[in-house]
């Protein structure tokens, strides 16, 4: 199975870290992985994106031009990446931050009010993990356990107290799309 | 019979190729004597310049590295960082240190590289044919300032030693001359001091040596020493500009 | 040994440290900055020195000094900075000193941009600096290969007493992939020629690149040529990807080769018999492999992120036997896999350019 995922939003939303979490978790599962941050003019003007490839076989191109799934964290990213999604692919839109609707009928659309869910949890900073939880539920790209394992490995010990809330956010995201 | 004079052990057997009356040979000998006296021949690594002294390594009998024009302080930095306990010195002319290599010498000084830097100022480019140097005096004729250096066209000669002395990293800065015996004796003391400072790992030590170029100045050797005394020393005053408390 | 996730730029650094490189001299420029950042943190841990120079010119001359002093030493930069370093590269080649340079290529000419490009191929493989010399040029195309080739670069530099360049681009520098730091060991030979003071030696060491008598310089250059011939005979590296039955052969290196592999896979799904030859050494160039492929292939397609530079070497190797086509994006633009496939389809139908 080849997952070619783009995560896109504003700088400061943790876009690049979200991609790294996914990538690292894929590596823990002994899958082939690659992570590539955005290049070109979109680096300026405050938008950020990264491409994550998770595959069972060696990855030929780490550059993703036809993503199997995208996570959209702001409106400019929706405009940019909606046309690129592979037919039948997934588009996960953080509807707390994006009011525009997806127009394409040939892709699977999920609107997730990630910031509102995060605030209900009492931690507005976990919106990204809510989106990742939804992505894993829909695509099975990596398991929540592997993502938790990743956090244990990459976070310094004094931040390990944040792992339970991050795991909870992943589960909330998964739950949200399960109930749709 | 008592031997009263001999060649320093740090010099090789090769005769100097310099023009009659050129003072590079004197300065080379002073360096060799200092290295003998400090007993550091087996510790020293010289960095040769581009210019008339490009082949200076032929006249010495210890390790040498020759690099690109102006870059000796950077090359010396590389050597010294690998061998912090060895003695590293650079030898650069005025074009080398005060024109093409200004960035390298300024920053080696700013980093206070623990090297000894010898700056030979003869107010002209010798090897390439008598062109104007950054230290050529106002009014001085050269092949690229045939009517004499004008401040309107070429600006003012650089006093590199004073300039570098303003940097915290330069711990020792002095200017000497080798146009007569008295000054040669004084120059040797100063050069020795600049090596001793390196032995004590105090920081960047710079000695500017005023030197003659009779060939490109169009003077006889004797006229050249007089020209140096009468024209260069007033603009480039001799003496120790900066001395660390360690010496 | 377990895998770790590393950025390409950091992988250069860690592999260098494991290979015994203790000295790094550099000057900041995007998109390679993670490498000096990594070295600034890492080298003091192994008793080495990271020094930020005042310019690329100074950095390469510090490399020259450290290499002459007998150390394993590295510098890195990107296009504009590499141009400045070319003076020192020529001196390293002329003095036959071992050193490793990394060029994380960006869009050019001039200031260009910081996006990935492959437009420094000519500079790397054809000279760049002055005089008759050759640089060994290695082109990794994954983070793992960055690790493997960085270690190899130090060994080649010491073995042949020649500077070695690792030619990457912004994609490889910024990309994260899992790597194994397989038993890289500092494989450093004795360096009796190094300038480190005469103590314990009956002779003095001298490192220069001047041969003032033309006859001597010619003789010296011929010894260089003999060395380069040996490198050409022994060190050519390339990868064959799905070449067994390939009728159409793509040629690409570095990041472009990753895209070309993607295009091979997609083209094969469509039933096109396409393969890829990926030069790993850009100098020495795998000319013989391409000449051999030309006996069976119907046509070649070179894919590059430049106006077409490596294509000249491909054409020299193929020597008119078969058509050689070119697909490029330039100025920091990255080819898209499906566009390469479209180009391949055109060639298969006899309409390439």
């Amino acid at each position: 199975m080849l997952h070619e995922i783009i995560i896109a939003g504003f700088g400061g939303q943790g876009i690049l870290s979200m991609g790294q979490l996914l990538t690292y978790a894929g590596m823990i599962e002994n899958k082939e992985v690659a992570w590539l941050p955005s290049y070109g003019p979109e680096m300026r003007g405050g938008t950020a994106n990264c491409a994550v490839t998770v595959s069972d076989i060696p990855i030929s191109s780490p550059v993703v031009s036809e993503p199997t799934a995208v996570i959209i964290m702001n409106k400019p990213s929706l405009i940019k990446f909606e046309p690129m999604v592979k037919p039948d692919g997934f588009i996960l839109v953080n509807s707390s931050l994006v009011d525009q609707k997806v127009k394409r009928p040939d892709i699977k659309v999920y609107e997730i009010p990630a910031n509102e869910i995060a605030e209900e949890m009492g931690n507005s900073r976990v919106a990204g993990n809510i989106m990742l939880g939804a992505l894993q539920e829909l695509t099975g790209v990596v398991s929540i356990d592997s993502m938790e394992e990743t956090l244990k490995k990459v976070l310094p010990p004094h931040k390990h107290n944040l792992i339970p809330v991050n795991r909870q956010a992943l589960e909330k995201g998964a739950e949200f799309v399960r109930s749709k | 019979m008592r031997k009263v004079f001999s060649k320093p052990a740090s010099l090789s057997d090769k005769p100097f190729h310099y023009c009659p009356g050129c003072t590079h040979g004197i300065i080379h000998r002073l360096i060799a004597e200092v290295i003998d006296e400090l007993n550091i021949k087996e510790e020293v690594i010289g960095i040769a310049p581009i210019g008339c002294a490009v082949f200076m390594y032929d006249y010495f009998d210890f390790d040498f590295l020759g690099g690109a024009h102006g870059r000796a302080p950077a090359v010396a930095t590389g050597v010294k960082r690998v061998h912090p306990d060895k003695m590293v010195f650079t030898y650069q002319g005025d074009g080398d240190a005060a024109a093409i290599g200004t960035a390298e010498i300024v920053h080696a000084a700013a980093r206070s590289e623990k090297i000894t830097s010898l700056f030979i100022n003869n107010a002209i480019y010798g090897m390439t044919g008598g062109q104007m140097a950054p230290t050529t005096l106002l009014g001085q004729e050269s092949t690229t300032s045939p009517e004499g250096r004008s401040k309107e066209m070429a600006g003012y000669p650089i006093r590199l030693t004073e300039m570098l002395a303003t940097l915290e990293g330069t711990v020792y800065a002095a200017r000497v001359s080798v146009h007569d015996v008295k000054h040669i004796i004084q120059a040797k003391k100063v050069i020795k001091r600049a090596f001793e400072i390196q032995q004590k790992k105090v920081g960047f030590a710079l000695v500017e040596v005023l030197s003659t170029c009779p060939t490109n100045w169009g003077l006889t050797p004797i006229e050249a020493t007089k020209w140096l005394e009468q024209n260069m020393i007033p603009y480039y005053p001799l003496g120790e500009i900066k001395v660390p408390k360690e010496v | 040994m377990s895998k770790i996730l590393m950025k390409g730029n950091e992988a250069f650094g860690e592999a260098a440290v494991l290979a015994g490189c203790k000295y790094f001299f550099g000057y900041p420029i995007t998109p390679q900055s993670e490498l000096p950042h990594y070295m600034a943190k890492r080298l003091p841990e192994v008793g080495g020195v990271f020094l930020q120079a005042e310019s690329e010119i100074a950095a390469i001359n510090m490399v020259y000094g450290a290499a002459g002093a007998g150390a394993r030493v590295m510098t890195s930069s990107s296009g504009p900075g590499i141009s400045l370093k070319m003076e020192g590269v020529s001196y390293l080649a002329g003095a036959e000193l071992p050193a490793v340079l990394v060029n994380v290529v960006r869009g050019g000419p001039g200031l260009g941009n910081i996006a990935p490009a492959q437009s420094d191929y000519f500079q790397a493989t054809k000279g760049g600096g002055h005089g008759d010399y050759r640089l060994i040029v290695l082109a990794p195309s994954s983070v793992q290969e960055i690790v493997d080739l960085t270690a190899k670069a130090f060994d080649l530099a010491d073995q042949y007493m020649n500077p070695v360049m690792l030619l990457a681009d912004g994609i490889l520098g910024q990309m994260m992939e899992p790597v194994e730091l397989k038993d890289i060991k500092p494989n450093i030979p004795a360096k009796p020629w190094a300038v480190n003071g005469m103590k314990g030696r009956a002779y003095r060491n001298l490192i220069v690149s001047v041969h003032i008598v033309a006859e001597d310089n010619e003789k010296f250059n011929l010894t260089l040529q003999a060395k380069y011939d040996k490198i050409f005979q022994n060190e050519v590296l390339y990868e064959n990807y799905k070449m067994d039955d390939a009728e159409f052969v793509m040629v690409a290196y570095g990041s472009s080769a990753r895209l070309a592999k993607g295009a091979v896979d997609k083209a094969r799904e469509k039933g096109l018999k396409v393969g890829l030859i990926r030069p790993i050494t850009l100098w020495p160039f795998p000319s013989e492999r391409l000449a051999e492929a030309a006996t069976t292939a119907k046509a070649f397609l070179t894919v590059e992120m430049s106006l077409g530079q490596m294509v000249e070497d491909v054409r020299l190797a193929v020597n008119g036997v078969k058509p050689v086509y070119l697909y490029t994006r330039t100025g920091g633009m990255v080819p898209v896999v499906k566009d390469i496939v479209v180009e391949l389809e055109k060639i298969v139908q006899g309409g390439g350019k």
Side-chain angles (χ1 to χ4, degrees):
Chain A
M1 186 69 187
L2 175 67
H3 298 272
E4 294 185 294
I5 297 155
I6 285 175
I7 304 172
F10 285 122
Q13 284 179 313
I15 300 294
L16 302 184
S17 309
M18 286 166 70
Q20 288 179 359
L21 175 55
L22 215 50
T23 311
Y24 204 107
M27 184 177 75
I28 287 178
E29 294 181 7
N30 280 319
K31 289 173 176 159
E32 302 285 339
V33 294
W35 172 93
L36 186 63
S38 77
Y39 262 105
E42 72 269 19
M43 265 183 95
R44 297 180 283 276
T47 67
N49 73 73
C50 63
V52 175
T53 310
V54 179
S55 170
D56 297 327
I57 55 166
I59 295 163
S60 47
S61 169
V63 179
V64 173
S65 48
E66 262 192 304
T68 56
V70 297
I71 293 177
I72 300 295
M73 300 287 278
N74 69 1
K75 194 169 159 182
S77 299
L78 178 64
I79 295 164
K80 183 175 164 80
F81 292 107
E82 181 186 339
M84 288 169 64
V85 181
K86 202 170 184 167
D88 260 353
F90 293 91
I91 185 160
L92 282 67
V93 181
N94 181 348
S95 56
S96 307
L97 302 175
V98 183
D99 54 10
Q100 186 170 310
K101 293 286 173 190
V102 175
K103 298 183 187 75
R104 276 177 64 183
D106 61 333
I107 53 179
K108 297 169 194 146
V109 185
Y110 288 84
E111 292 179 347
I112 302 155
N115 288 52
E116 284 150 48
I117 299 172
E119 260 149 51
E120 278 167 27
M121 288 174 61
N123 190 336
S124 60
R125 302 185 57 161
V126 296
N129 276 13
I130 288 166
M131 298 301 287
L132 287 179
L135 178 78
Q136 81 81 31
E137 175 68 22
L138 295 167
T139 64
V141 53
V142 291
S143 73
I144 287 182
D145 284 346
S146 303
M147 287 197 266
E148 184 181 357
E149 188 63 26
T150 299
L151 292 173
K152 281 182 192 157
K153 289 197 171 167
V154 300
L155 290 179
H158 70 273
K159 285 193 172 172
H160 279 199
N161 58 331
L162 297 173
I163 293 174
V165 67
N166 276 286
R167 171 153 191 139
Q168 206 193 338
L170 292 166
E171 282 166 351
K172 283 270 180 195
E175 234 169 74
F176 182 85
V177 291
R178 246 195 327 264
S179 66
K180 283 279 138 181
Chain B
M1 202 167 74
R2 196 167 68 90
K3 191 173 182 182
V4 294
F5 188 80
S6 67
K7 185 178 69 65
S10 292
L11 283 181
S12 71
D13 292 334
K14 187 156 182 166
F16 295 132
H17 71 279
Y18 298 109
C19 303
C22 167
T23 44
H24 269 307
I26 295 171
I27 304 164
H28 285 12
R29 186 183 164 98
L30 295 182
I31 293 169
E33 287 180 1
V34 164
I35 287 171
D36 282 5
E37 286 170 23
L38 295 174
N39 197 22
I40 55 171
K41 187 185 156 188
E42 294 192 323
E43 313 296 329
V44 79
I45 299 149
I47 313 296
I50 307 289
C52 287
V54 63
F55 295 116
M56 70 179 293
Y57 48 77
D58 279 343
Y59 311 124
F60 293 92
D61 182 32
F62 49 75
D63 281 9
F64 248 100
L65 198 66
H69 194 32
R71 318 300 177 213
V75 174
T77 298
V79 174
K80 187 74 182 186
R81 295 299 179 124
V82 174
H83 298 301
D85 297 325
K86 305 286 175 171
M87 298 289 286
V88 179
F89 77 91
T90 56
Y91 187 102
Q92 295 184 276
D94 40 48
D96 204 288
I100 195 167
T102 39
E104 285 76 13
I105 199 160
V106 165
H107 287 272
R111 288 189 304 268
S112 208
E113 294 294 338
K114 290 159 190 65
I115 60 173
T116 303
S117 174
L118 294 158
F119 167 46
I120 315 306
N121 178 4
N122 62 6
I124 202 120
Y125 282 76
M127 187 177 71
T128 47
Q131 294 88 356
M132 185 182 70
T135 52
T136 292
L137 297 171
L138 289 180
Q140 186 186 337
E141 289 175 14
S142 76
T143 51
T144 51
S145 57
E147 306 299 319
R149 178 176 187 155
S150 82
K151 61 180 192 295
E152 289 76 18
M153 177 60 81
Y156 299 88
I158 292 177
R159 293 187 187 93
L160 184 69
T161 302
E162 283 84 347
M163 199 173 103
L164 293 178
T166 65
L167 299 172
E168 294 294 325
T170 302
V171 300
Y172 183 68
R175 185 182 290 114
V176 295
S177 178
V178 288
H179 67 283
D180 63 24
V181 174
K182 184 185 131 203
H183 285 91
I184 290 170
I185 292 168
Q186 180 58 28
K188 183 175 163 185
K189 283 184 191 154
V190 166
I191 291 170
K192 191 168 182 179
R193 185 169 260 196
F195 275 93
E196 286 167 343
I197 286 165
Q198 184 179 173
Q199 280 184 312
K200 291 177 182 156
K201 302 188 178 179
V202 186
F204 185 79
L206 172 75
V207 179
E208 175 175 342
V209 185
L210 300 184
S211 182
T212 59
C213 184
T215 301
N216 285 299
W217 290 353
L219 300 173
T220 66
I222 290 168
E223 287 167 349
T225 56
K226 289 206 176 100
W227 190 88
L228 186 157
E229 188 176 14
Q230 287 164 7
N231 296 279
M232 289 184 74
I233 292 176
Y235 192 83
Y236 300 113
L238 305 181
E240 291 184 314
I241 296 164
K242 201 172 181 183
V243 183
K245 58 182 185 307
E246 285 85 348
V247 295
Chain C
M1 197 175 181
S2 67
K3 289 190 171 181
I4 53 171
L5 197 60
M6 276 194 123
K7 255 193 182 189
N9 281 335
E10 296 172 343
F12 281 119
E14 184 58 25
V17 170
L18 292 176
C21 168
K22 287 205 173 156
Y23 301 90
F24 184 99
F25 303 96
Y27 185 82
I29 186 169
T30 309
Q32 56 83 56
S33 296
E34 292 87 352
L35 173 48
H37 298 174
Y38 190 84
M39 293 308 236
K41 201 166 54 160
R42 187 76 172 92
L43 280 174
E45 293 173 4
V46 294
V49 174
F50 166 87
L51 191 66
Q52 182 170 322
E54 64 272 23
S55 69
E56 286 90 350
I57 296 174
I60 193 69
N61 282 286
M62 291 173 188
V63 166
Y64 182 89
R72 279 198 162 173
V73 55
M74 175 184 250
T75 186
S76 70
S77 191
S78 182
I82 296 289
S83 294
L84 288 171
K85 285 189 168 128
M86 280 298 158
E87 174 193 75
V89 169
S90 173
Y91 278 79
L92 285 164
E96 298 198 87
L97 286 176
V100 174
L101 296 87
V102 178
N103 183 1
V104 181
V105 183
R106 53 188 258 174
L111 191 53
N113 57 43
I114 59 169
Q118 295 183 315
S119 43
D120 296 355
Y121 178 92
F122 284 154
Q123 184 192 48
T125 62
K126 308 291 177 192
H130 57 282
D132 263 341
Y133 78 93
R134 288 294 191 176
L135 202 52
I136 299 172
V137 185
L138 308 177
S141 86
S142 68
V143 181
Q144 181 65 57
E145 208 172 34
I146 285 175
V147 168
D148 300 343
L149 291 181
T150 299
K152 189 178 179 66
F154 282 99
D155 291 346
L156 287 173
D158 278 339
Q159 184 184 346
Y160 292 103
M161 299 292 283
N162 209 70
V164 179
M165 178 180 280
L166 290 152
L167 194 70
D169 60 61
I171 291 177
L172 285 158
Q174 300 294 322
M175 182 166 63
M176 285 181 108
E177 285 184 319
V179 292
E180 265 183 275
L181 298 165
K182 286 174 270 186
D183 357 284
I184 301 172
K185 287 194 183 68
N187 197 11
I188 310 173
K191 300 188 174 183
W193 45 264
V195 292
N196 50 12
M198 285 173 73
K199 187 167 272 172
R201 265 195 265 123
Y203 54 92
R204 69 93 173 251
N205 282 335
L206 173 66
I207 296 171
V208 292
S209 60
V210 60
H211 306 274
I212 202 72
V213 179
E215 283 85 348
D216 293 344
N217 210 147
E218 183 181 53
K219 202 184 285 175
F220 172 73
N221 286 1
L222 290 173
T223 67
L224 284 182
Q225 185 57 48
K227 174 172 90 174
Y228 299 149
D229 288 345
K230 207 165 130 195
I231 296 170
F232 195 84
Q233 278 157 25
N234 297 327
E235 305 300 343
V236 172
L237 288 174
Y238 56 86
E239 181 195 357
N240 291 314
Y241 185 70
K242 303 193 178 173
M243 279 297 295
D244 284 350
D245 60 344
E247 294 175 353
F248 297 89
V249 177
M250 277 200 275
V251 188
Y253 70 94
S255 291
S256 288
R258 297 292 292 270
L259 298 157
K261 276 186 183 175
V264 168
D265 295 347
K266 288 258 185 323
R268 290 229 166 220
E269 282 169 21
K270 296 184 174 201
L272 307 180
K273 286 190 175 171
V274 179
L276 167 74
I277 296 174
R278 175 173 73 88
I280 297 170
T281 51
L282 299 183
W283 197 90
F285 191 71
S287 309
E288 287 177 13
R289 175 67 189 101
L290 289 173
E292 183 200 346
T295 60
T296 53
K298 289 182 176 162
F300 290 80
L301 174 64
T302 303
V303 179
E304 292 183 67
M305 297 193 290
S306 71
L307 284 174
Q309 300 191 7
M310 183 182 68
V311 68
E312 294 190 3
D313 284 335
V314 176
R315 287 188 173 132
L316 280 171
V318 171
N319 201 19
V321 173
K322 295 287 161 57
V324 176
Y325 301 103
L326 173 65
Y327 180 78
T328 67
R329 297 299 299 270
T330 175
M333 294 302 291
V334 176
V336 177
V337 169
K338 64 181 175 191
D339 294 345
I340 303 173
V341 176
V342 169
E343 196 61 28
L344 278 168
E345 286 173 318
K346 275 193 236 162
I347 292 167
V348 172
Q349 288 151 20
K353 60 178 186 220

